[in-house]
């Protein structure tokens, strides 16, 4: 059956890909250290950028509040100037005092936020320098590593092409189901039946199912573990 053959081929292709992928990600210690440095710096940069964004939003809001507070303070100051009667003057002064305090209460945290953004910018610049230096060293050494593993690199290219080719022959739902099961069952999705039992879960097949399998007209899955079955 065409589908079964394609699925078995796909399984073998993915197994070979996993092996090659493992060899290609088994970096020499010095290269692995650089890879780790790049990843760590990238992670810290993302954190600091998030903190910076939050601070910027707060700055925007507080800047608006400050402008409003400034207007109120100006109005209160004008009121003081315009007042000639002593009794009104005292209350206008109190009002101005209060408006000044409100403005200071906004200006202080705003200043702190602006200082924080400056600190974050400095940290980000340092991290970017660290990241790009580590990345440059990594790229250099990794290119040497890949040169030394040219066979695997070529093999991976061929296997990936084969994977696409095989997947194109199958209905997309079948491909999705295959990958889901492969992830859950360590890549063993299509398994042989031996001694009348599924070799994936050791459960014996019911008679009618075994007969269908022998007939080989439709795709048979194990009733116990859902793996796809074939007779070797
Ligand atoms: Zn089974």
């Amino acid at each position: 059956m065409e589908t079964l053959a394609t699925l078995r081929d796909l399984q073998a292709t993915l197994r070979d890909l996993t092996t090659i992928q493992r060899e290609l990600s088994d970096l020499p210690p010095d290269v692995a250290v650089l890879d780790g440095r790049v990843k760590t710096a990238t992670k810290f940069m993302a954190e600091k950028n998030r903190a910076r964004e939050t601070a910027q939003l707060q700055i925007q809001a507080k800047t608006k509040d400050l402008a409003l507070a400034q207007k109120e303070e100006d109005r209160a100051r004008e009121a003081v100037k315009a007042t000639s009667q002593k009794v009104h003057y005292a209350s206008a002064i109190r009002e101005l005092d209060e408006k000044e305090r409100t403005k200071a209460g906004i200006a202080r945290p705003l200043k702190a936020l602006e200082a924080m953004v400056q600190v974050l910018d400095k940290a980000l610049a340092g991290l970017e320098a660290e990241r790009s230096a580590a990345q440059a060293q990594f790229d250099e050494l990794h290119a040497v590593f890949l040169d030394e593993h040219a066979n695997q690199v070529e093999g991976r290219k061929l296997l990936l092409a084969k994977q696409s080719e095989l997947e194109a022959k199958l209905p997309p739902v079948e491909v999705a189901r295959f990958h889901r099961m492969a992830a859950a069952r360590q890549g063993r999705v299509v398994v042989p039946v031996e001694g009348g039992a599924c070799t994936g879960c050791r459960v014996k097949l019911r008679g009618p199912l075994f007969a269908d399998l022998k007939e080989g007209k439709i795709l048979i899955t194990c009733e116990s573990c859902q793996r796809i079955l074939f007779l070797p």
Side-chain angles (χ1 to χ4, degrees):
M1 202 198 332
E2 173 91 28
T3 308
L4 181 63
T6 308
L7 286 168
R8 285 182 67 180
D9 213 358
L10 181 59
Q11 176 164 282
T13 304
L14 292 178
R15 193 177 46 226
D16 292 348
L17 253 178
T18 306
T19 307
I20 285 188
Q21 205 55 54
R22 202 176 295 134
E23 286 166 9
L24 285 176
S25 52
D26 186 18
L27 299 170
D30 52 340
V31 189
V33 166
L34 288 166
D35 187 37
R37 273 173 54 193
V38 170
K39 283 180 179 142
T40 306
T42 306
K43 195 183 103 200
F44 284 152
M45 283 175 77
E47 281 170 18
K48 299 227 177 285
N49 268 319
R50 271 197 299 278
R52 196 185 184 284
E53 261 170 49
T54 308
Q56 285 291 16
L57 285 176
Q58 288 173 327
I59 286 173
Q60 270 176 27
K62 288 211 183 296
T63 305
K64 261 188 205 156
D65 291 349
L66 188 68
L68 272 172
Q70 182 67 58
K71 255 185 206 161
E72 297 238 346
E73 189 193 296
D74 291 346
R75 203 175 294 140
R77 185 164 290 118
E78 285 308 311
V80 170
K81 277 187 201 157
T83 305
S84 48
Q85 285 172 289
K86 216 174 178 182
V87 56
H88 290 149
Y89 189 75
S91 107
I93 285 284
R94 264 202 308 281
E95 176 87 9
L96 176 59
D97 256 7
E98 197 193 304
K99 297 299 180 194
E100 280 174 347
R101 268 200 303 278
T102 306
K103 193 184 83 176
I106 298 166
R108 262 192 309 274
L110 178 59
K111 225 175 179 171
L113 281 165
E114 282 165 349
M116 191 172 106
V117 167
Q118 276 183 4
V119 169
L120 284 168
D121 280 345
K122 217 171 163 187
L124 276 163
L127 282 165
E128 173 52 29
E130 150 71 8
R131 197 199 59 77
S132 56
Q135 183 73 59
Q137 286 181 57
F138 172 85
D139 288 347
E140 207 173 300
L141 294 181
H142 193 234
V144 174
F145 173 80
L146 289 179
D147 265 356
E148 288 165 359
H149 294 74
N151 285 342
Q152 283 97 324
V153 172
E154 182 58 22
R156 177 170 63 182
K157 212 165 83 188
L158 294 175
L159 286 167
L160 284 170
K162 191 172 174 192
Q163 181 190 348
S164 313
E165 208 178 285
L166 291 168
E167 286 179 353
K169 286 192 202 170
L170 298 163
V173 278
E174 199 61 58
V175 175
R177 195 169 74 102
F178 183 91
H179 284 294
R180 248 195 333 271
M181 233 204 268
R185 307 198 191 291
Q186 285 82 42
R188 290 192 72 219
V189 180
V190 194
V191 297
V193 169
E194 278 167 13
C198 162
T199 53
C201 68
R202 302 276 154 208
V203 168
K204 264 210 177 297
L205 265 65
R206 288 186 304 111
L209 201 65
F210 193 71
D212 285 344
L213 182 68
K214 263 187 172 165
E215 208 181 1
K217 280 197 181 140
I218 50 165
L219 216 55
I220 304 295
T221 55
C222 171
E223 288 177 315
S224 161
C225 71
Q226 319 309 321
R227 283 186 175 91
I228 298 156
L229 304 171
F230 69 91
L231 277 173

